[in-house]
């Protein structure tokens, strides 16, 4: 990085601090956004109360397709949460610099979606009032217990990986943010953990982040592998696959990068961070996106073409439903808008700009949710033995309004968590950005906004 | 029907054998002697409560306050839970279903649904119409839970709500089930069903003590399935479905004794011979689930298959 002279250094730091803290103090369309989120959550809550009163029969689930939108949603949430590990850990550990303004955004997505994943699974329970049985009677041989363990661990490590890099930012917040309620100041004070910013503190901080970044990799791989095993460990056509673990993990990265691109675009526009989330950053993430989609495509080819070539009895009904039958429209839609088309489009430099990448990201993430529905439902519609002597509605499954409303509430909840974090804390690490731009250590340590306020008139 | 079966059950427990009577006498007697030494019994007499007579081991007849007497061996929810999880020692139950006999009478389904308080669309046992395609004959196939020796369902249960007992029966404890339906996803035989809404006649049965061996009363938000009529086996009777069948389809018995009894004719034969001589097989053996239910092939059927086979085409 270029060394700045003292005057430039101070000025740069002040600009960074102002740019990154002003969204906390000013609202750009904050109220309508929160209002819509609360509305979505309110509708979902109403739907959930209805479900609690009637039982899970309020949904379109049945004895054959007994897992549906909620479980697909659960995989979707866990998948999206995985991005924290890819960006801030894997890329961070190999020393990629351009992730610095993105890592905290990825971590916020990870936290929001991991927390909601835990709730979505409760929405799917027939007896949510017995959720504590998992702790009273949990059995180590059940993959659900493994999933519970790793999801909780992942959430905890993600929380630490979010909070630790916040610590050096707290002094900036304490010094610049005065018009917010008292509790908010208290939160800043608490999270500062007496940070003074000397070398020893930075050493400890960076070391802790490094250790956690390493720890989270196996945990993150475990959460999505175990989630895939909820399916792969059962003797069902379409789930009984040895590559389900990596198939899910790579699919998760695709989903997560899509989420990060959308979030980057929103923060860039709404928080006026064009100078920090530049075309260069979108270009880099778009390349990562293509790489992840190519790997996921490779797993898709293996997952569908290998059994599709053989067309074994049992598998044939399932595969034909996807390729040319009842679900073919949805199946090819997810393959085209979720993989083939995005890969093709992003080969062009023009498409790797903020607006096109965000739009592509949106399509990919929608396809991601639908794909998970396609992994869950068609398999259950084709059990080994025929479905007979049950009402017509038991032969197939389409999620109903209640299920969509509850899933909507879950997505709304994740977005609300991300929004609250973005309103409380800067979406990028001020200290790291300042350091990258060549601001002097002493200036970061002794930042004083008053110096600039008095100079304002002159400038 | 359900009430009837429960009454039957109570009648039976009252018809105690001489040995049972002695056992009760001994235990109650011993309990009384112990309690006698304690002041509480005097209190009860002092309060003028009802008394009953019991016989002790040495033949003495004692009076004790009725409020303090506990019938030994009475089946409370607690004992039913405990016994239900243990199973019947020394047994290994098995069922043999003779497909050549099945005429789709569906008496098994009716008897089962009535005993287990099931709604019409809920099947612990389901008579399927099977058709393997060109060149093969269609047939009817009653399908209960296979009570696998390597059950995929119990493995995945996160709370030990479904489990395999020492006598080979796979049961569900609907007081513990959290309704995650992982077992439904794991079962390759589609043997499990779920109480999606309030169970049938909820108000009528709500107050009954939970009997795990019948899995009644059913509870909303929990899984239910065929229990091999564990309650009937405890009384030395054949399962509801086997007894209800008019066509001699079901054989039921104990693998350890190597004997199975026909539910219709009550004839008892060697299990191993029956399965060997008739080329018995199990369902989806390639999955390694090791079912306890055996099928005899659908040969020499005397009744024409009244086909309703578009049911089978319901695959999408």
């Amino acid at each position: 990085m270029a060394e700045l002279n003292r005057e430039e250094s101070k000025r740069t730091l002040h600009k960074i601090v102002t740019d990154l803290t002003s969204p906390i103090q000013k609202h750009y369309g904050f109220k309508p956004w929160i209002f819509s989120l609360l509305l979505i959550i309110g509708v979902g809550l109403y739907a959930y109360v209805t479900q609690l009163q009637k039982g899970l029969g309020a949904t379109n689930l049945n004895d054959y397709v007994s897992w549906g939108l909620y479980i697909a949603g659960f995989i979707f949430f866990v998948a999206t949460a995985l991005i924290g590990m890819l960006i801030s850990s894997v890329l961070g550990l190999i020393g990629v610099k351009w992730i610095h303004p993105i890592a905290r955004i990825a971590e916020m997505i990870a936290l929001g979606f991991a927390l909601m994943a835990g709730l979505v699974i409760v929405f799917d329970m027939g007896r949510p009032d017995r959720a504590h049985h998992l702790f009273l009677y949990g059995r180590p041989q059940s993959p659900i217990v493994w999933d519970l363990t790793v999801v909780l661990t992942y959430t905890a490590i993600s929380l630490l990986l979010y909070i630790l890099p916040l610590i050096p930012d707290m002094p900036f917040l304490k010094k610049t943010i005065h018009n917010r309620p008292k509790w908010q100041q208290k939160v800043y004070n608490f999270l500062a953990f007496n940070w003074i910013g000397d070398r020893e503190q930075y050493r400890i901080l960076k070391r802790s982040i490094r250790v956690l970044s390493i720890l989270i990799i196996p945990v993150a791989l475990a959460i999505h592998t175990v989630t895939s095993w909820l399916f792969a460990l059962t003797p069902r056509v379409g789930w009984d696959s040895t590559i389900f673990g990596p198939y899910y993990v790579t699919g998760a990265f695709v989903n997560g990068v899509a989420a990060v691109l959308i979030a980057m675009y929103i923060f860039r526009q709404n928080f006026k961070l064009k100078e920090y989330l530049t075309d260069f950053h979108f270009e880099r993430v778009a390349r990562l996106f293509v790489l992840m989609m190519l790997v996921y495509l490779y797993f898709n080819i293996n997952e569908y073409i290998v059994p599709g070539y053989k067309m074994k009895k049992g598998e044939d009904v399932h595969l034909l439903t996807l390729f040319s039958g009842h679900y073919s429209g949805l199946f090819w839609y997810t393959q085209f808008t979720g993989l083939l088309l995005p890969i093709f489009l992003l080969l062009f430099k023009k498409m790797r700009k903020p607006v096109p990448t965000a739009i592509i990201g949106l399509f990919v993430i929608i396809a991601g949710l639908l794909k998970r529905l396609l992994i869950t439902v068609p398999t259950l519609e084709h059990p080994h033995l025929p479905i007979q002597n049950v009402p017509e509605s038991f032969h197939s499954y389409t999620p109903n309004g209640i299920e969509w409303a509850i899933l909507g509430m879950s997505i709304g909840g994740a977005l609300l968590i991300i929004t609250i974090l973005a309103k409380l804390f800067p979406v990028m690490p001020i200290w790291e950005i300042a350091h990258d731009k060549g601001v002097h250590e002493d200036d970061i340590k002794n930042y004083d906004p008053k110096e600039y306020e008095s100079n304002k008139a002159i400038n | 029907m359900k009430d009837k079966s429960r009454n039957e059950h109570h009648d039976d427990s009252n018809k105690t054998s001489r040995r049972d009577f002695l056992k009760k006498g001994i235990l109650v007697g011993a309990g009384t002697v112990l309690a006698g030494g304690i002041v509480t019994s005097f209190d009860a007499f002092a309060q003028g409560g009802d008394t009953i007579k019991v016989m002790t081991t040495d033949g003495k007849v004692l009076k004790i306050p009725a409020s303090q007497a506990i019938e030994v061996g009475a089946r409370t929810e607690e004992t039913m839970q405990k016994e239900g999880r243990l199973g019947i020692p020394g047994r290994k139950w098995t069922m043999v279903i003779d497909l050549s006999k099945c005429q789709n009478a569906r008496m098994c389904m009716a008897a089962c649904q009535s005993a287990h308080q099931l709604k019409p669309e809920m099947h612990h046992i389901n008579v399927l119409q099977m058709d393997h395609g060109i060149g093969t004959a269609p047939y009817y196939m009653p399908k209960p839970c296979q009570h696998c020796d390597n059950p995929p369902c119990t493995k995945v249960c996160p709370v030990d709500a479904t489990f395999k007992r020492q006598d080979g029966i796979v049961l569900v404890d609907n007081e513990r089930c959290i309704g995650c339906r992982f077992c439904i996803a794991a079962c390759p035989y589609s043997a499990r069903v779920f109480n999606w809404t309030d169970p049938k006649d909820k108000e009528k049965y709500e107050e009954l003590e939970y009997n795990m061996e019948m899995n009644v009363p059913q509870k909303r938000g929990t899984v239910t399935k065929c229990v091999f009529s564990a309650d009937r086996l405890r009384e030395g009777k054949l399962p509801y479905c086997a007894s209800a069948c008019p066509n001699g389809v079901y054989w039921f018995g104990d693998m350890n004794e190597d004997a199975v009894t026909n539910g219709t004719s009550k004839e008892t034969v060697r299990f191993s011979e029956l399965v060997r001589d008739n080329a018995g097989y199990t369902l989806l053996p390639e999955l390694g689930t090791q079912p306890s239910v055996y099928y005899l092939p659908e040969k020499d059927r005397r009744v024409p298959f009244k086909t309703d086979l578009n049911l089978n085409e319901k695959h999408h």
Side-chain angles (χ1 to χ4, degrees):
Chain A
M1 75 212 75
E3 277 285 311
L4 302 171
N5 70 41
R6 239 16 225 271
E7 183 58 22
E8 280 172 345
S9 164
K10 286 194 171 171
R11 209 183 291 275
T12 311
L13 177 64
H14 183 63
K15 185 171 167 18
I16 294 171
V17 174
T18 316
D19 286 347
L20 288 175
T21 55
S22 63
I24 299 174
Q25 318 205 47
K26 293 177 199 150
H27 303 296
Y28 307 101
F30 179 67
K31 277 182 186 164
W33 169 247
I34 287 284
F35 179 76
S36 359
L37 284 184
L38 290 179
L39 193 70
I40 292 169
I41 292 172
V43 171
L45 268 181
Y46 176 76
Y48 188 56
V49 171
T50 313
Q51 181 180 305
L52 282 180
Q53 281 166 351
K54 286 193 191 162
L56 271 178
T59 66
N60 270 358
L61 294 166
N62 59 62
D63 287 336
Y64 293 88
V65 186
S66 67
W67 281 355
L69 189 64
Y70 298 149
I71 294 290
F74 171 72
I75 323 169
F76 174 78
F77 277 83
V78 176
T80 313
L82 227 56
I83 192 60
M85 166 276 222
L86 177 68
I87 295 216
S88 47
S89 297
V90 176
L91 297 183
L93 284 171
I94 56 176
V96 177
K97 281 270 176 358
W98 54 261
I99 61 145
H100 287 171
I102 303 167
R104 189 174 288 169
I105 296 175
E107 217 54 70
M108 282 154 62
I109 293 173
L111 258 184
F113 280 82
L115 283 169
M116 287 317 291
L119 261 185
V120 175
I121 208 77
V122 175
F123 298 149
D124 186 66
M125 284 170 69
R127 298 298 299 236
D129 54 316
R130 296 179 180 170
H132 61 283
H133 284 197
L134 283 166
F135 299 97
L136 286 179
Y137 309 111
R139 299 164 79 229
Q141 60 268 62
S142 170
I144 287 188
V145 173
W146 309 343
D147 218 17
L148 187 74
T149 315
V150 285
V151 168
L152 289 178
T153 314
Y154 183 75
T155 312
I157 301 181
S158 292
L159 187 66
L160 285 175
L161 275 176
Y162 177 74
I163 288 176
L164 288 186
L166 269 184
I167 298 172
D169 280 354
M170 289 302 133
F172 296 115
L173 297 183
K174 285 201 296 193
K175 286 173 196 162
T176 50
I177 294 175
H178 302 295
N179 64 344
R180 307 302 303 155
K182 213 163 183 168
W183 63 265
Q184 198 168 328
Q185 305 284 351
K186 278 186 183 166
V187 170
Y188 296 152
N189 259 326
F190 174 73
L191 287 179
F193 296 111
N194 297 324
W195 181 265
I196 49 166
D198 62 5
R199 289 202 164 173
E200 178 62 11
Q201 282 190 330
Y202 272 110
R203 197 185 61 80
I204 296 171
L205 182 80
K206 285 187 175 164
R207 214 187 146 130
S208 319
I209 292 174
R210 201 179 159 76
V211 169
L212 288 170
S213 299
I214 295 169
L215 266 182
I216 204 169
I217 294 173
V219 177
L221 289 176
I223 64 169
H224 220 44
T225 306
V226 172
T227 304
S228 83
W229 286 356
L230 297 183
F231 301 86
L233 294 182
T234 63
R236 291 236 183 203
V237 170
W239 291 353
D240 193 353
S241 161
T242 51
I243 64 161
F244 246 41
Y247 174 52
Y248 270 46
V249 169
T250 50
F253 289 153
V254 171
N255 226 27
V257 178
V260 162
L261 279 168
I262 298 168
M264 278 167 68
Y265 180 75
I266 292 173
F267 286 131
R268 174 185 149 103
Q269 295 299 321
N270 191 261
F271 281 21
K272 314 231 179 301
L273 297 174
K274 287 201 174 81
E275 286 169 52
Y276 304 87
L277 294 166
T278 61
D279 282 9
F280 168 76
H281 293 102
F282 281 87
E283 148 85 11
R284 290 287 132 167
V285 181
R287 283 171 184 234
L288 178 70
F289 198 21
V290 175
L291 174 68
M292 289 304 147
M293 283 192 287
L294 284 171
V295 180
Y296 188 43
L297 180 67
Y298 171 69
F299 276 102
N300 269 274
I301 289 170
N302 277 277
E303 183 59 25
Y304 291 109
I305 292 188
V306 171
Y309 186 89
K310 291 175 282 192
M311 282 293 172
K312 282 195 293 190
K313 179 115 182 93
E315 304 241 4
D316 53 353
V317 184
H318 172 69
L319 290 168
L320 288 174
T321 312
L322 295 177
F323 296 162
S324 55
H326 184 65
Y327 285 108
S328 56
L330 206 55
F331 177 78
W332 293 113
Y333 174 82
T334 59
Q335 293 294 341
F336 273 101
T337 66
L339 279 174
L340 299 171
L341 214 52
I343 292 172
F344 175 74
L345 289 176
L346 290 172
L347 292 178
F348 301 98
K349 200 170 166 77
K350 269 188 191 163
M351 298 306 281
R352 300 197 293 267
K353 301 271 184 218
V355 178
T357 47
I359 294 173
I360 292 172
L362 196 62
F363 272 95
V364 169
I365 210 161
I366 291 169
L369 177 62
L370 296 174
K371 178 75 190 294
R372 280 152 183 91
L373 203 55
L374 278 179
I375 291 175
T376 312
V377 175
T379 282
L380 290 168
E381 284 182 3
H382 303 109
H384 292 280
L385 299 174
I387 301 175
Q388 289 175 3
N389 310 320
V390 289
E392 182 58 36
S393 61
F394 280 28
H395 290 271
S396 63
Y397 164 81
T398 319
N400 67 11
I402 296 230
E403 291 168 85
W404 284 112
I406 291 177
L407 187 79
M409 161 170 71
S410 319
I411 295 173
L415 295 181
L416 188 66
I417 293 171
I418 295 169
T419 308
I420 290 171
L421 293 178
K423 281 309 289 183
L424 279 179
F425 308 109
V427 294
M428 290 171 200
I430 297 173
W431 60 279
E432 206 170 24
I433 304 277
H435 188 259
D436 285 351
K437 296 210 172 186
V439 176
H440 286 269
E441 280 174 33
D442 291 343
D443 293 336
I444 297 179
K445 196 173 165 186
N446 305 315
Y447 175 70
D448 181 10
K450 289 195 187 83
E451 240 176 88
Y452 298 88
E453 275 152 26
S454 51
N455 288 344
K456 238 177 201 167
I458 307 162
N459 293 333
Chain B
M1 177 65 197
K2 160 74 229 333
D3 278 339
K4 193 175 155 227
S5 68
R6 278 195 73 86
N7 290 339
E8 272 176 21
H9 167 78
H10 282 297
D11 290 348
D12 289 343
S13 56
N14 291 339
K15 275 184 246 153
T16 43
S17 66
R18 184 182 146 77
R19 209 171 119 196
D20 272 346
F21 173 77
L22 282 177
K23 216 156 63 182
K24 281 177 192 172
I26 291 164
L27 288 173
V28 177
T32 315
V33 172
L34 279 173
I38 302 168
V39 193
T40 48
S41 59
F42 291 108
D43 289 348
F45 281 112
Q47 282 159 14
D50 288 339
T51 58
I52 54 166
K53 287 177 184 172
V54 292
M55 187 191 276
T56 61
T57 40
D58 49 0
K60 276 186 198 157
V61 177
L62 300 177
K63 258 188 194 175
I64 62 161
S67 60
Q68 295 200 359
I70 303 160
E71 184 195 345
V72 175
R75 306 193 77 208
T76 62
E77 185 160 343
E78 202 181 326
T79 57
M80 283 194 287
Q81 281 269 5
K82 218 173 159 185
E83 290 173 352
R85 282 201 173 251
L86 281 176
I88 305 167
R91 302 293 189 174
K92 173 71 177 79
W93 303 111
T94 181
M95 181 182 263
V96 182
I97 298 176
D98 188 347
L99 297 177
S100 66
K101 300 266 167 48
C102 182
Q103 301 181 25
N104 199 22
R106 303 202 166 188
M107 308 285 259
C108 51
M109 288 168 72
C112 172
Q113 286 192 323
S114 144
H116 297 106
Q117 303 169 5
L118 298 173
K119 291 177 184 171
E121 72 272 19
M122 296 171 79
H123 306 292
H124 282 187
I125 186 165
N126 195 355
V127 181
L128 301 176
Q129 302 179 26
M130 302 297 286
D131 182 9
H132 294 303
I134 304 157
T136 60
Y139 58 96
Y140 302 109
M141 187 181 85
K143 183 214 61 186
C145 167
Q146 306 291 302
H147 295 277
C148 306
D149 284 349
N150 182 20
C153 53
T154 62
K155 278 191 220 168
V156 298
C157 179
V159 294
D160 201 18
T162 187
F163 51 89
K164 187 159 179 78
R165 316 196 302 184
Q166 55 175 313
D167 56 1
I169 298 182
V170 174
L171 280 191
V172 176
D173 178 352
N174 81 14
E175 307 251 273
R176 184 176 291 184
C177 175
I178 60 171
C180 70
R181 312 186 301 293
F182 201 173
C183 54
I184 296 182
C187 175
Y189 303 100
S190 308
R192 290 168 168 266
V193 293
F194 193 66
N195 282 291
W196 295 98
T197 47
D198 278 333
K200 197 180 88 175
D201 301 328
K202 183 188 168 209
E203 294 76 23
K204 194 165 140 198
Y205 301 124
E206 217 166 21
E207 298 301 316
L208 290 179
E209 274 180 352
Y210 174 56
N211 182 349
M212 192 193 284
E213 294 192 332
M214 292 184 82
N215 202 32
V216 294
Q218 298 283 344
K219 284 185 198 73
R220 186 173 90 181
T222 62
V223 169
T224 184
K225 64 177 273 297
C226 159
V227 291
F228 254 8
S229 297
D231 58 316
R232 301 261 294 184
L233 302 179
R234 200 171 277 286
E235 297 162 17
K237 291 180 181 169
L238 292 171
Y240 297 103
C241 51
S243 309
C245 177
N247 296 320
V249 174
Y250 297 97
W251 298 86
F252 195 92
D254 180 358
M255 266 191 201
N256 292 341
E257 287 181 351
D258 196 22
V260 283
T261 304
N262 190 287
T264 313
S265 67
K266 308 290 185 246
E267 180 193 357
T268 297
V269 299
R270 282 206 179 281
F271 162 76
S272 54
E273 280 173 19
L274 181 71
V275 168
R276 190 187 61 211
D277 296 349
N278 295 285
Y281 63 93
T282 56
L283 284 187
L284 305 172
E286 66 275 18
L287 298 180
T289 52
Q290 301 168 30
S292 298
V293 176
Y294 290 77
Y295 285 88
L296 305 183
E298 62 280 11
K299 57 158 195 169
D300 297 337
R301 279 182 295 107
R302 266 177 268 146
V303 228
F305 186 90
K306 278 186 229 113
T307 181
D308 185 11
L309 270 182
N310 54 356
L311 267 178
N312 273 337
E313 312 308 323
K314 279 282 152 57
H315 286 252
H316 293 275

